[in-house]
Amino acid sequence: MSQDNQQSLQVGVIGLGAMGMGTASTLHQQGFDVTGCDISAEARDAFAAAGGKSVATPAELAHCHIVLVVVVNGAQAEQVLFGEQGVVSHLAPGSLIIQCATVAPSQAKQLGERLSAVGVMFLDAPISGGAAKAKSGELSVMASGAEDAFTYGQPVLDAMAAKVYRLGDAPGVGSSMKLVNQLLAGVHIATAAEAMALGIRMGLDPDVIYEVITHSAGNSWMFENRVPHILSGDYTPLSAVDIFVKDLNIVHQTGRELSLSTPVAASALQQFTAASGAGFGRDDDSSVIKVYQRLSGIELPEAANDHQGA
């Protein structure tokens, strides 16, 4: 798509959190006319400061041709689409909703049916890669929907993602694939925390554990990515504990719908739930290791400023 055509395509991004802000900023930098939407004045001001336009309610995105929904959960997706200030009733027929939040496949199917009934196209398109990949336009998108929806949304998808997986022509398939990813991601984070806790409890140096495991068969992407947060004692949320409480609950719910047992995911869910219950829900998901600290008294690395202040 030419720069002029990109500028003529009005794009809305609902949800200016870590992923939404990065995606909106990337699209703006790629030449799209982007309006961000968030209930937080601070988030709106941050996007405006970067040169974008911002509004407080989804209904104010009526002018948009394509609207990305990058909210926290299915309830929020429902609200911003069909609630009192929802965007759908204000959109022109032929507009496109790209739903990026992690929701149950059954909900994704329902959203697609409701949008089709009012003449709005829909892509079930969960995203993965974290805030850094969103900011650099290198997300992975797991998408399903009709061919015409893919064709219409392709310029935006290409700008925000390093890889767009076209998984089928019906909503629900994209969300199904995201659940597979989230099951693995959640289990790997919880397992990384347990492995580190075991090593520390046995008296091993945490930095040495990381060095050895990242060069051994027991390594995983999540171990390599999250354990440095533990080593630095920095639990600033890049992805919060409560995200995996939500996502692994969706895995559990979907497994029940399918009469499929997911015992390993259930165990990881219990650890994240315990971390949330202990007050770490909004901390980085690597803080699930603090459950083991509470149970066994292991000594975790502290942040540099904690040492300085001691």
Side-chain angles (χ1 to χ4, degrees), residues 35-53:
T35 303
C37 174
D38 202 285
I39 59 174
S40 166
E42 183 179 356
R44 297 196 302 271
D45 291 345
F47 185 56
K53 297 177 291 186

Side-chain angles (χ1 to χ4, degrees), residues 25-207:
S25 298
T26 290
L27 294 174
H28 174 68
Q29 292 164 7
Q30 291 290 323
F32 291 92
D33 188 344
V34 181
T35 303
C37 174
D38 202 285
I39 59 174
S40 166
E42 183 179 356
R44 297 196 302 271
D45 291 345
F47 185 56
K53 297 177 291 186
S54 62
V55 296
T57 66
E60 296 173 82
L61 299 175
H63 62 286
C64 292
H65 303 101
I66 297 176
V67 176
L68 284 78
V69 178
V70 196
V71 295
V72 171
N73 55 37
Q76 289 186 4
E78 173 80 19
Q79 184 66 25
V80 301
L81 290 174
F82 298 106
E84 185 177 348
Q85 294 293 325
V87 67
V88 171
S89 63
H90 300 276
L91 291 175
S95 302
L96 170 64
I97 297 290
I98 302 178
Q99 206 296 109
C100 300
T102 301
V103 303
S106 55
Q107 183 180 10
K109 294 175 185 177
Q110 292 168 0
L111 291 175
E113 292 169 357
R114 293 176 69 182
L115 289 167
S116 177
V118 294
V120 174
M121 294 184 290
F122 179 67
L123 285 178
D124 173 24
I127 54 181
S128 181
K133 295 293 187 182
K135 190 174 182 180
S136 63
E138 298 177 298
L139 291 168
S140 292
V141 180
M142 307 165 211
S144 61
E147 181 70 28
D148 56 352
F150 271 111
T151 300
Y152 194 61
Q154 199 66 50
V156 167
L157 295 171
D158 288 343
M160 63 187 279
K163 181 68 176 180
V164 178
Y165 294 95
R166 298 180 62 156
L167 301 171
D169 60 5
V173 184
S175 287
S176 296
M177 185 61 71
K178 181 63 186 294
L179 280 198
V180 173
N181 182 79
Q182 293 309 91
L183 185 157
L184 289 167
V187 166
H188 287 173
I189 294 169
T191 303
E194 185 168 296
M196 288 299 296
L198 175 64
I200 293 169
R201 188 70 177 84
M202 293 189 297
L204 297 176
D205 184 313
D207 291 292

